[in-house]
Amino acid sequence: MFITYADYYHYAGNDWKINNKPSGCALNIISSLFKLIFNYQADHYRILAIRYDLHQPSYVDNNKRMTVFFRRLNKQLNAKYAGVDMKYAWVREQAAADSPHFHILLLLNGQVVNHPHKVSQVCKRIWSDMSGTIYYPKNMYYLVTRNDLTRLEQLLFRVSYFAKGKDKDKRAAQTKSFGCSRSL
């Protein structure tokens, strides 16, 4: 994993401020996150980006729970909102706790869903059914229109935290610490 300690990440012709303190940012994660967000924004005039933390009750050596969670979430959101076009990113971390937690980012078509309340209820129900707990961080969502560079900068800085260079190594060798939807 290559770590940068730079204050800015160059992408799409601009230098974007990133949250690199105190452990730097993993370049592969930053690159994937920026690509996902910019490609999503190219397809949607308005995006709703929501950030959650998912905690699980015990240690597991794989990320199958994330696959199940996103599959269920996508199915339920598509049934509730036509054209929601959900994309996601997640990072697995474990510091001093006995079990890992996941930071997740959801990207939704902001012209279909423009507030996280109902989406949060669905996420909580799914993750609770999987015996986990969900944490809603302060300022957990961003509604970003295509030409709103200020909100885009805020979102990119916020999600750059996912790429922090620490707390990602307590996992089995074959287990990834990061995953996201495919972006074109």
Side-chain angles (χ1 to χ4, degrees):
M1 174 167 45
F2 293 102
I3 302 292
T4 181
Y5 293 92
D7 291 331
Y8 293 87
Y9 180 71
H10 188 79
Y11 192 88
N14 290 309
D15 290 325
W16 304 94
K17 180 120 175 86
I18 57 174
N19 185 359
N20 63 350
K21 306 293 187 235
S23 60
C25 289
L27 284 173
N28 63 321
I29 296 175
I30 283 285
S31 174
S32 294
L33 287 168
F34 276 54
K35 182 178 179 183
L36 179 69
I37 291 168
F38 277 86
N39 285 347
Y40 195 83
Q41 191 175 47
D43 290 340
H44 300 286
Y45 174 74
R46 182 178 299 124
I47 62 173
L48 176 64
I50 313 170
R51 185 195 167 318
Y52 302 109
D53 293 346
L54 302 179
H55 297 266
Q56 49 190 26
S58 59
Y59 181 82
V60 292
D61 64 357
N62 61 54
N63 297 318
K64 290 179 184 173
R65 291 171 54 85
M66 295 311 297
T67 302
V68 171
F69 173 78
F70 285 117
R71 187 179 301 131
R72 290 178 184 174
L73 181 60
N74 192 42
K75 184 177 180 182
Q76 290 185 32
L77 291 181
N78 279 317
K80 190 172 191 68
Y81 303 105
V84 70
D85 190 26
M86 182 188 91
K87 301 290 186 203
Y88 61 86
W90 59 265
V91 65
R92 175 187 173 123
E93 294 182 352
Q94 184 175 352
D98 292 334
S99 61
H101 65 275
F102 298 90
H103 300 294
I104 68 166
L105 171 71
L106 296 179
L107 298 177
L108 306 172
N109 182 345
Q111 292 180 281
V112 174
V113 185
N114 58 23
H115 194 273
H117 180 71
K118 291 181 181 176
V119 175
S120 297
Q121 290 175 332
V122 173
C123 288
K124 183 177 182 176
R125 184 173 53 250
I126 292 170
W127 196 245
S128 292
D129 288 348
M130 297 173 67
S131 301
T133 58
I134 190 168
Y135 171 74
Y136 305 111
K138 189 175 182 180
N139 303 319
M140 65 187 252
Y141 76 98
Y142 297 82
L143 190 60
V144 183
T145 56
R146 190 171 287 149
N147 298 322
D148 188 349
L149 287 180
T150 300
R151 289 300 279 172
L152 179 61
E153 287 172 345
Q154 292 169 348
L155 171 60
L156 294 171
F157 182 81
R158 181 70 179 267
V159 300
S160 66
Y161 175 79
F162 284 33
K164 71 180 178 184
K166 64 177 189 161
D167 300 335
K168 293 180 177 54
D169 56 349
K170 289 186 181 178
R171 57 185 169 81
Q174 76 280 2
T175 302
K176 294 180 190 180
S177 62
F178 172 77
C180 67
S181 301
R182 295 177 193 251
S183 57
L184 303 174

